[in-house]
């Protein structure tokens, strides 16, 4: 049995690393809290609300998304992304919290710092473009954003509470339409 990559290497989380996938999902959900605030979609996206965006670790995918987004979209934005994306984020003069592969595990001091920074930012919308990874889904849920959007992420409710489908459009085109910047 392969241990889960979700936890820091301490004895406190040793046994949790061997939980089954459904049990891990439920554990993270209990930690995040199951309640969610109400929101009015798509009106919540008007006027460029404070948005937390989880970019994919894949540089090509993230770059494609960022290049397709108009400059107006970057207003009131905080990115949570892998440290390899630093030049991509800085080229758009945006703000971000960065993590490395080891630092984005539950229980790591940097993970706790990322969570604190996200909560201080107090986003109204969370956009999750990354591959499903329970600690980052946990961060999305605990961000405090009432509207947490993913693409084809029905299986990750209530971490993400709105699942969009692209309908032959890119993620960037879909988001641009809803934000009214395109």
């Amino acid at each position: 049995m392969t241990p889960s990559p979700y936890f820091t290497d301490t004895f406190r989380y040793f046994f949790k690393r061997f939980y089954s996938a459904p049990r891990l999902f439920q554990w993270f959900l209990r930690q995040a809290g199951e309640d969610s605030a109400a929101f009015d979609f798509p009106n919540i996206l008007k006027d460029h609300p404070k948005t937390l965006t989880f970019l994919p670790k894949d540089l090509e995918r993230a770059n494609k998304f960022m290049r397709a987004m108009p400059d107006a979209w970057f207003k009131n934005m905080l990115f949570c992304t892998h440290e390899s994306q630093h030049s991509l984020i800085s080229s758009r003069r945006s703000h971000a919290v960065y993590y490395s592969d080891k630092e984005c595990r539950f229980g790591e001091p940097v993970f706790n710092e990322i969570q604190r920074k996200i909560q201080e930012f107090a986003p109204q919308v969370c956009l999750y473009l990354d591959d499903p990874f329970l600690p980052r889904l946990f961060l999305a849920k605990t961000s405090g954003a009432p509207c947490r959007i993913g693409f084809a992420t029905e299986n990750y409710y209530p971490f993400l509470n709105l699942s969009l489908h692209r309908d032959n459009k890119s993620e960037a085109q879909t988001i641009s339409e809803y934000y009214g910047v395109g």
Side-chain angles (χ1 to χ4, degrees), residues 66 79 85-96 98:
M66 296 282 281
F79 292 96
Q85 311 278 356
H86 192 275
S87 62
L88 177 64
I89 300 297
S90 61
S91 71
R92 296 303 284 228
R93 295 186 183 359
S94 295
H95 300 285
Y98 299 97

Side-chain angles (χ1 to χ4, degrees), residues 152-172:
T153 54
E154 295 86 5
N155 294 335
Y156 298 100
Y157 176 84
F159 291 106
L160 303 174
N161 57 5
L162 184 62
S163 182
L164 300 178
H165 293 272
R166 298 183 303 177
D167 295 330
N168 298 325
K169 298 178 195 168
S170 71
E171 293 167 339

Side-chain angles (χ1 to χ4, degrees), residues 6-181:
Y6 299 149
F7 298 98
T8 186
D9 295 326
T10 63
F11 183 72
R12 179 178 183 185
Y13 300 108
F14 178 79
F15 294 105
K16 289 174 181 54
R17 285 185 261 167
F18 296 97
Y19 282 2
S20 65
R23 194 165 176 199
L24 282 168
F25 186 92
Q26 288 304 315
W27 186 87
F28 274 98
L29 187 56
R30 274 193 311 277
Q31 297 304 307
E34 293 190 32
D35 59 320
S36 292
F39 61 92
D40 180 16
F41 184 81
N43 291 334
I44 195 169
L45 301 181
K46 301 294 183 216
D47 301 322
H48 306 286
K50 288 174 81 172
T51 303
L52 169 66
T53 300
F54 288 84
L55 284 178
K57 183 179 173 182
D58 176 24
L59 189 55
E60 185 178 320
R61 231 175 97 202
N63 193 22
K64 183 178 177 184
F65 177 81
M66 296 282 281
R67 277 194 331 258
M69 295 305 292
D71 289 336
W73 183 77
F74 292 92
K75 183 176 130 183
N76 292 327
M77 185 67 56
L78 176 68
F79 292 96
C80 184
T81 190
H82 193 267
E83 62 190 1
S84 63
Q85 311 278 356
H86 192 275
S87 62
L88 177 64
I89 300 297
S90 61
S91 71
R92 296 303 284 228
R93 295 186 183 359
S94 295
H95 300 285
V97 289
Y98 299 97
Y99 59 84
S100 69
D101 293 329
K102 288 226 175 224
E103 292 170 339
C104 201
R105 299 183 305 170
F106 194 88
E108 292 286 346
V110 174
F111 183 85
N112 297 333
E113 182 66 15
I114 290 170
Q115 183 179 13
R116 184 188 63 74
K117 287 179 180 179
I118 288 171
Q119 289 172 337
E120 283 177 1
F121 179 68
Q124 296 162 300
V125 175
C126 177
L127 181 59
Y128 193 90
L129 303 173
D130 203 355
D131 296 326
F133 187 74
L134 285 173
R136 287 190 292 273
L137 288 166
F138 170 87
L139 289 172
K141 176 81 168 82
T142 60
S143 70
C147 180
R148 299 177 305 278
I149 303 169
F151 282 86
T153 54
E154 295 86 5
N155 294 335
Y156 298 100
Y157 176 84
F159 291 106
L160 303 174
N161 57 5
L162 184 62
S163 182
L164 300 178
H165 293 272
R166 298 183 303 177
D167 295 330
N168 298 325
K169 298 178 195 168
S170 71
E171 293 167 339
Q173 289 170 321
T174 303
I175 293 300
S176 291
E177 286 177 10
Y178 282 116
Y179 270 82
V181 292

